[in-house]
Amino acid sequence: MKNLLYKELKLSMGPQAVVFYFFSIISMLIPNYPRYIAFFYCTMGALMIFINSSNNNDFLFTATLPIKKKDVVKARFLFIALYEFSSLLFSIPPALLTNYITGGVNPSQGINASVAFYGIVLFISGVTNFVMLSLCFRKAVSKYILEFLIVFTIYMTLFGLAEVPVWQGTEAGKFITSLEKGMLLKQLPLLGIGLAVWLAGFFASFPIAVRKFEKVDL
């Protein structure tokens, strides 16, 4: 599996995915920048991994190796999980720095980088990952235009729904965007739920992706 992950890095991790990866981290330093958009870059980066893989005929190359198709899917899943989760972890220091300097973003600009925010981001990513990973193994070569449109629509819809309480200044909105220490501790269950949904997105889509990829004629 280590060799397959190395192959993913060499054949699938194109410059676009790298740029999106760092955008998702660096944008947390921008005051009043919509926080959910920062992690939309990461979602797009994950999709770019598939696009770059297709451009490099990665799946066709992998078919020549003495490995099972299931292992190919597993390696891609692990690589995307590492890509997303490491981006999230590395975004925390700049988010903390921005929170410390500015005291938080203007509510009209959306949620702060709170504990609840990271839980909601994981929740949204879990849903979009389930859809994306369930769709992207249908073909060995594709431009993934339909997948992009579907993932974009889902992410933006969930992003909008999550921001509405903050924009409207409801009690729920004030709770999830609060940076007070006491509130941050109370937000931990939301982080746990988000992490569970993020993991579930991978586990639930894996058998679907394997089943579809087994039918692909390489």
Side-chain angles (χ1 to χ4, degrees):
M1 187 55 63
K2 182 175 70 173
N3 290 332
L4 284 177
L5 288 175
Y6 182 72
K7 176 195 69 68
E8 289 290 315
L9 181 64
K10 286 295 185 179
L11 293 182
S12 304
M13 187 71 165
Q16 302 95 331
V18 174
V19 169
F20 281 130
Y21 182 87
F22 284 106
F23 270 2
S24 68
I25 298 171
I26 296 172
S27 59
M28 298 301 286
L29 290 170
I30 305 175
N32 291 329
Y33 190 81
R35 298 307 178 201
Y36 291 112
I37 298 299
F39 286 98
F40 179 68
Y41 292 135
C42 196
T43 299
M44 289 298 95
L47 188 56
M48 287 305 305
I49 289 172
F50 279 97
I51 294 174
N52 196 64
S53 171
S54 176
N55 291 339
N56 289 332
N57 292 316
D58 177 34
F59 286 152
L60 297 177
F61 164 75
T62 306
T64 65
L65 303 177
I67 56 176
K68 299 177 181 178
K69 284 185 174 181
K70 182 178 181 180
D71 291 332
V72 177
V73 177
K74 185 183 297 184
R76 178 61 53 84
F77 269 59
L78 286 174
F79 190 74
I80 289 178
L82 289 171
Y83 177 89
E84 292 183 349
F85 199 69
S86 63
S87 172
L88 184 143
L89 288 178
F90 286 131
S91 77
I92 294 175
L96 291 174
L97 179 62
T98 303
N99 288 344
Y100 177 77
I101 294 174
T102 67
V105 301
N106 188 316
S108 65
Q109 300 297 319
I111 194 171
N112 287 310
S114 61
V115 172
F117 160 74
Y118 278 98
I120 297 171
V121 161
L122 285 167
F123 179 93
I124 294 174
S125 294
V127 175
T128 54
N129 282 341
F130 172 79
V131 175
M132 177 179 66
L133 295 171
S134 296
L135 292 174
C136 284
F137 286 90
R138 297 178 300 164
K139 302 175 182 178
V141 178
S142 174
K143 295 184 181 298
Y144 297 103
I145 296 175
L146 176 62
E147 289 80 0
F148 167 79
L149 293 174
I150 293 174
V151 168
F152 176 85
T153 301
I154 293 174
Y155 191 100
M156 288 302 168
T157 299
L158 294 177
F159 150 59
L161 291 174
E163 286 285 40
V164 167
V166 178
W167 292 333
Q168 293 182 340
T170 65
E171 290 302 315
K174 293 176 182 177
F175 171 70
I176 62 176
T177 196
S178 176
L179 296 176
E180 296 178 11
K181 291 183 179 179
M183 287 295 189
L184 291 175
L185 290 175
K186 292 180 180 179
Q187 293 168 9
L188 284 174
L190 292 178
L191 179 62
I193 293 172
L195 180 59
V197 172
W198 183 76
L199 290 171
F202 285 103
F203 283 107
S205 59
F206 182 72
I208 299 173
V210 170
R211 186 167 63 250
K212 290 182 177 180
F213 195 56
E214 289 285 357
K215 295 178 181 179
V216 175
D217 183 10
L218 299 176

